[in-house]
């Protein structure tokens, strides 16, 4: 969480931070990933049999190593829009017996050579936890229950035995399950009204929790502030679930509510980098709707609060790089700083965000772009890596005082609903007592000499570790010919608590907090 005081352009900037002022625990799952049967994300991305870079299972070894470098705690699958016509049984068993199907979300052909068991094995290798999304388009509750049984049951029952027959004796114990994807969208096969979805989601949730009470269920929300979000939360965040949960009123039926946003502003760098502020405002509004649902339904405080699952987010120029053409956006420095502002928002709002999944993890709007001979770590890769490695532990309160970007925003409603400071800041203190201060200088033209105020302890350390992502200009990209944008490491001796944050940069300062 961060507060802001707007200053005149000629006034010196300051950031106040105290490592003892912890706000909330950061859920590591905010650094989650996402692989969907879309474009080259799966086929030609994580799974590329026959390529010399692939292992005996067809998994790209170079992609696995890059994913391990990002340390995603959780991975969403199989979509996305793809889920609305996906039937999981098509993707299990002998590969030569798996049917190929028309794929309606992205208008293609699905071979089903990569399915549930392949995904589970890949997750084990990458050391990430699986997160599955049910088909609530053409799918049925029976099909959903069967998938849950296949993945999680150790009983002597049909689908658990089918898993064993397919060579997997032990259950996968998948914890996270989403109740559909963007079911509200006009582009969805079997689109639903908010009333129909809420009724169906509630009934599915009861049945699924009867089969496996240990799972965590995620509602399908919209953008966090819509009438869909309000209605679905009001109908599903209730305490009327004792029958489904063995009479335990303190065990919630729903654990998270999903919302999606993509940002991009082609008109200006500052507009592009500040665009993710709309997502932060959406988180704040959605958190209010979650409280409203609890109040409306008299949910006792003993029932754990549901959180927000931001399971699709990124910078995306959807007009020029559409999904149906593979969405292989090549990112520049401006986009990378936009991603940094996204991640700052998740850290600041850690009280409310239980998970976030960058869309996606290979080729499609991804930190990684593969080619037959290797891969490129895009400009957003070092940004995601910095946050995933260091911005863990607890969110720390900050107060930022600086001038503000006052130009056009996208969406327009950002202006007047949330601030757009030139310095976008979050802070976290990790379990070892190291304070991590992430600062994005949005300005394309101005360095900011900034005082680190408050009882930060920065003046008590000899040197501060500096990790920075920057380049000569905002248009620089990483390509097969070179990756100029990477993490630059250095150290600085604070001059009277003052630090310079260069123009168009992400800077992560790290120092041992005083006790």
């Amino acid at each position: 969480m961060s507060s802001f005081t707007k200053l005149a352009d000629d006034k010196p900037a300051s950031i106040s931070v105290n490592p003892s002022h912890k706000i909330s625990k950061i859920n590591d799952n905010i650094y989650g990933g996402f692989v969907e049967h879309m474009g080259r994300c799966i086929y030609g991305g994580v799974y590329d049999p026959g390529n010399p870079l692939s292992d005996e299972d067809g998994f790209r070894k170079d992609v696995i190593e890059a994913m391990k470098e990002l340390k995603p705690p959780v991975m969403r699958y199989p979509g996305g829009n793809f889920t609305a016509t996906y039937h999981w049984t098509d993707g299990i068993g002998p590969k030569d017996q798996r049917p190929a199907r028309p794929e309606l979300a992205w208008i293609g052909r699905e071979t089903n050579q990569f399915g549930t068991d392949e995904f589970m094995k890949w997750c084990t290798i990458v050391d990430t936890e699986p997160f599955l999304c049910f088909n609530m388009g053409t799918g049925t509750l029976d099909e959903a229950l069967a998938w849950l049984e296949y993945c999680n049951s150790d009983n002597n029952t049909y689908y658990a035995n089918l898993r064993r027959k397919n060579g997997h004796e032990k259950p996968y114990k998948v914890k996270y399950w989403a109740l559909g994807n963007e079911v509200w969208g006009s582009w969805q096969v079997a689109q639903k009204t908010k009333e129909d979805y809420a009724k169906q989601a509630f009934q599915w949730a009861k049945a699924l929790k009867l089969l496996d009470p240990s799972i965590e269920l995620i509602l399908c929300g919209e953008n966090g502030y819509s009438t869909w979000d309000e209605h679905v939360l009001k109908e599903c965040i209730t305490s009327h679930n004792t029958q489904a949960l063995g009479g335990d009123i303190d065990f919630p039926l729903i654990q998270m509510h999903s919302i999606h946003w993509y940002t991009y502003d082609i008109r200006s760098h500052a507009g592009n980098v500040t665009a993710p502020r709309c997502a932060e405002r959406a988180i704040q509004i959605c958190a209010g709707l979650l409280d409203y649902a609890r109040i409306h339904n008299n949910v006792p405080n003993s029932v754990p609060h549901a959180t927000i699952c931001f399971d699709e987010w990124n910078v995306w120029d959807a007009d020029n790089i559409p999904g149906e053409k593979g969405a292989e956006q090549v990112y520049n420095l401006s986009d990378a700083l936009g991603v940094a502002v996204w991640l700052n928002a998740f850290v600041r709002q850690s009280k409310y965000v239980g998970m976030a999944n960058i869309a996606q993890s290979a080729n499609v709007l991804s930190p990684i772009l593969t080619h037959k001979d290797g891969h490129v770590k895009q400009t957003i890769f070092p940004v995601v890596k910095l946050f995933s490695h260091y911005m863990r532990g607890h969110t720390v309160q900050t107060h930022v005082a600086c001038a503000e970007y006052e130009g056009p925003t996208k969406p327009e409603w950002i202006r007047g609903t949330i601030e757009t400071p030139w310095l976008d800041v979050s802070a976290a203190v990790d379990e070892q007592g190291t304070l991590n201060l992430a600062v994005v200088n949005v300005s394309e033209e101005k360095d900011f000499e900034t005082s680190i105020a408050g009882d930060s302890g920065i003046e008590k350390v000899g040197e501060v570790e500096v990790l920075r992502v920057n380049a000569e200009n905002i248009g620089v990209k990483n390509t097969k010919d070179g990756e100029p944008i990477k993490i630059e490491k250095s150290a600085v001796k604070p001059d009277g608590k003052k630090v310079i944050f260069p123009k168009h940069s992400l800077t992560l300062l790290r120092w041992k907090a005083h006790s």
Side-chain angles (χ1 to χ4, degrees):
M1 190 173 293
S2 179
S3 54
F4 172 63
T5 298
K6 181 179 178 180
L7 302 180
D9 289 342
D10 60 347
K11 297 296 183 182
S14 68
I15 299 170
S16 299
V17 59
N18 185 325
S20 67
H21 292 178
K22 297 177 182 178
I23 302 298
S24 49
K25 183 76 172 68
I26 298 168
N27 194 316
D28 290 347
N29 284 345
I30 66 172
Y31 303 119
F34 173 31
V35 290
E36 179 176 7
H37 291 257
M38 173 184 178
R40 292 195 312 123
C41 183
I42 300 289
Y43 304 113
V46 302
Y47 182 72
D48 196 7
N51 188 295
L53 297 175
S54 298
D55 64 16
E56 64 275 10
D57 295 306
F59 303 148
R60 281 282 292 259
K61 292 182 287 187
D62 60 326
V63 173
I64 287 171
E65 292 308 308
M67 290 305 304
K68 287 181 177 180
E69 198 174 335
L70 293 179
K71 296 184 177 180
V74 63
M75 190 67 58
R76 184 178 182 234
Y77 175 83
N81 294 344
F82 175 79
T83 60
T85 59
Y86 178 63
H87 299 285
W88 68 273
T89 52
D90 289 342
I92 60 170
K95 291 189 176 184
D96 61 355
Q97 297 177 26
R98 298 183 189 183
R101 303 283 191 191
E103 199 289 295
L104 301 183
W106 309 111
I107 313 301
R109 178 176 176 269
E110 175 52 53
T111 65
N112 286 302
Q113 295 300 289
F114 186 98
T116 300
D117 296 313
E118 288 78 22
F119 175 65
M120 296 300 173
K121 186 169 186 177
W122 185 79
C123 284
T124 298
I125 296 170
V126 172
D127 192 23
T128 187
E129 189 167 1
F131 163 27
L132 297 179
C133 183
F134 289 119
N135 174 358
M136 290 192 74
T138 61
T140 66
L141 176 55
D142 278 343
E143 185 179 13
L145 288 165
W147 200 11
L148 178 58
E149 179 191 336
Y150 184 89
C151 289
N152 285 15
S153 177
D154 58 3
N155 290 330
N156 183 20
T157 52
Y158 179 80
Y159 286 103
N161 288 333
L162 182 59
R163 183 195 67 245
R164 296 183 180 102
K165 180 181 177 182
N166 289 334
H168 310 283
E169 176 63 30
K170 294 182 179 180
Y172 295 120
K173 295 299 180 183
V174 178
K175 181 178 182 179
Y176 303 106
W177 297 81
L179 295 165
N181 169 80
E182 295 183 2
V183 185
W184 44 269
S186 60
W187 53 89
Q188 292 293 329
V189 175
Q191 175 191 11
K192 292 178 174 59
T193 64
K194 59 183 183 291
E195 292 83 6
D196 287 342
Y197 172 77
K199 290 177 183 178
Q200 185 179 27
F202 190 80
Q203 296 306 319
W204 277 40
K206 288 196 299 182
L208 292 161
K209 286 282 179 103
L210 281 170
L211 182 60
D212 187 349
S214 72
I215 62 173
E216 296 197 6
L217 293 174
I218 296 108
L219 285 173
C220 172
E222 188 177 350
N223 52 27
Y225 55 84
S226 69
T227 56
W228 173 285
D229 293 291
E230 182 271 334
H231 180 82
V232 168
L233 287 171
K234 187 175 69 174
E235 295 301 311
C236 296
I237 302 296
T238 75
S239 58
H240 305 299
N241 51 12
T242 55
Q243 181 181 0
L245 299 169
D248 185 356
I249 64 170
D250 292 340
F251 198 90
L253 192 63
I254 299 295
Q255 277 73 27
M256 285 184 269
H257 180 72
S258 164
I259 61 176
H260 294 174
W261 255 105
Y262 295 92
T263 61
Y264 190 74
D265 192 346
I266 199 171
R267 297 171 300 178
S268 74
H269 161 72
N272 191 40
V273 178
T274 57
R277 294 290 280 161
C278 71
E280 184 157 12
R281 191 71 182 108
I283 291 169
Q284 294 168 339
I285 295 170
C286 191
L289 291 178
L290 282 162
D291 283 345
Y292 162 69
R294 292 177 66 92
I295 295 167
H296 182 272
N297 293 318
N298 296 312
V299 178
N301 193 50
S302 55
V303 176
H305 287 241
T307 56
I308 294 164
C309 180
F310 223 125
D311 55 5
E312 285 190 33
W313 70 269
N314 207 337
V315 174
W316 183 11
D317 181 8
D319 291 335
N320 294 303
I321 309 170
E324 58 270 20
K325 293 186 178 181
E328 294 195 18
Q329 183 160 340
V330 178
Y331 290 109
N332 60 24
L333 176 61
S334 178
D335 302 324
L337 298 180
V339 165
V341 172
W342 266 104
L343 291 166
N344 267 344
F346 295 146
V347 173
R348 287 190 292 257
Q349 301 300 325
S350 63
K351 178 180 178 181
Y352 306 116
V353 182
M355 186 189 295
N357 306 79
I358 190 169
Q360 295 179 13
S361 293
N363 290 325
V364 178
L365 305 175
S366 173
I368 303 163
L369 276 179
T370 66
H371 51 85
K372 65 182 180 66
D373 300 317
H375 66 275
V376 175
K377 292 175 180 175
Q378 293 226 67
T379 62
I380 67 174
F381 186 98
V383 172
V384 175
K385 179 179 176 179
L386 273 183
F387 275 83
S388 180
H389 280 235
Y390 299 114
M391 299 300 285
R392 301 196 185 212
H394 284 82
T395 299
V396 174
Q397 173 71 40
T398 61
H399 179 77
V400 179
C402 68
E404 182 178 14
Y405 165 65
E406 296 180 320
T409 62
K410 185 177 181 180
E412 291 184 5
W413 59 255
I414 289 176
R415 186 66 63 229
T417 64
I418 195 167
E419 306 91 347
T420 51
W422 285 116
L423 297 178
D424 190 273
V425 179
S426 72
V429 62
D430 65 23
E431 301 305 321
Q432 291 72 44
T434 299
L435 184 64
N436 297 276
L437 184 67
V439 181
V440 179
N441 182 351
V442 173
S443 175
E444 190 178 354
E445 301 172 348
K446 182 180 178 180
D447 298 344
F448 278 87
E449 184 180 61
T450 306
S451 298
I452 308 300
D455 194 12
S456 67
I458 195 170
E459 75 284 357
K460 297 179 182 179
V461 297
E463 287 187 332
V464 174
E465 183 180 4
V466 180
L467 303 169
R468 182 167 285 138
V469 176
N470 202 356
E472 183 179 353
N473 61 70
I474 60 168
V476 174
K477 301 176 180 179
N478 288 354
T479 68
K480 286 194 293 184
D481 296 327
E483 299 178 359
I485 296 180
K486 59 188 68 176
I487 298 169
E488 301 289 347
K489 299 182 180 181
S490 63
V492 63
K493 294 181 179 180
D495 181 13
K497 290 190 173 183
K498 291 185 178 179
V499 177
I500 294 175
F501 297 108
K503 60 186 177 182
H504 52 67
S505 68
L506 163 65
T507 303
L508 181 65
L509 301 180
R510 308 185 73 239
W511 68 92
K512 191 73 172 180
H514 61 282
S515 57

